[in-house]
Amino acid sequence: AHAFGLKTGETAVVRGRVIYADETPVELADTYYPREIAEGTPLAEPRKIKGGAVTLLAELGHITDRIIEDVTARPASESEQQQLQLAAHEPVVVIERLSLDESGRPVQADVMVAPARLRRLRYEMKVS
């Protein structure tokens, strides 16, 4: 709600998924879209999107120009332990990603939770 500047009572469209690798759950991913962008499109339907959501957003005129990510680590919740088949107190990495179009409007917000042991984050920065 905060990312999209929603007022009390306003809602967004969310797509929740469990991502698997070789039949093992490796990530929980919730993706949010502003209702006025997603409503009436495959973004608001509970199925895979042919070509992917980023391609569909671009076809709808919402091309991602900038991404902001916040990365944190914490112990998994009980629900995350169950869904990701984790040991008690096993840490997870949480990536919160906000995708903005060329005008700076947020068009997609993601919250991804994965076992820390399966994630490696690498950033490269040029310093002039």
Side-chain angles (χ1 to χ4, degrees):
H2 177 73
F4 297 134
L6 300 180
K7 296 179 179 116
T8 303
E10 291 183 318
T11 60
V13 171
V14 63
R15 296 174 59 85
R17 298 163 323 281
V18 179
I19 312 299
Y20 291 86
D22 298 325
E23 300 182 29
T24 301
V26 295
E27 180 178 277
L28 305 176
D30 290 332
T31 302
Y32 300 83
Y33 302 96
R35 183 164 294 285
E36 64 272 8
I37 290 176
E39 204 162 51
T41 75
L43 293 170
E45 298 173 7
R47 61 182 173 87
K48 287 188 175 188
I49 298 171
K50 186 175 182 175
V54 173
T55 300
L56 178 58
L57 279 169
E59 290 171 0
L60 295 170
H62 304 285
I63 298 170
T64 298
D65 179 66
R66 186 167 52 112
I67 292 174
I68 301 168
E69 281 190 349
D70 290 300
V71 181
T72 57
R74 60 169 171 73
S77 69
E78 286 185 31
S79 174
E80 292 163 345
Q81 286 176 24
Q82 291 172 356
Q83 291 180 75
L84 294 169
Q85 301 173 0
L86 303 176
H89 307 294
E90 187 169 348
V92 291
V93 171
V94 180
I95 301 171
E96 296 173 314
R97 176 182 297 155
L98 184 61
S99 300
L100 302 107
D101 68 12
E102 292 174 332
S103 71
R105 178 184 184 196
V107 296
Q108 179 174 318
D110 301 282
V111 178
M112 298 160 281
V113 179
R117 63 181 157 73
L118 297 180
R119 284 296 163 120
R120 177 178 179 215
L121 302 172
R122 180 180 190 185
Y123 298 93
E124 182 174 329
M125 296 172 215
K126 181 173 173 48
V127 179
S128 299

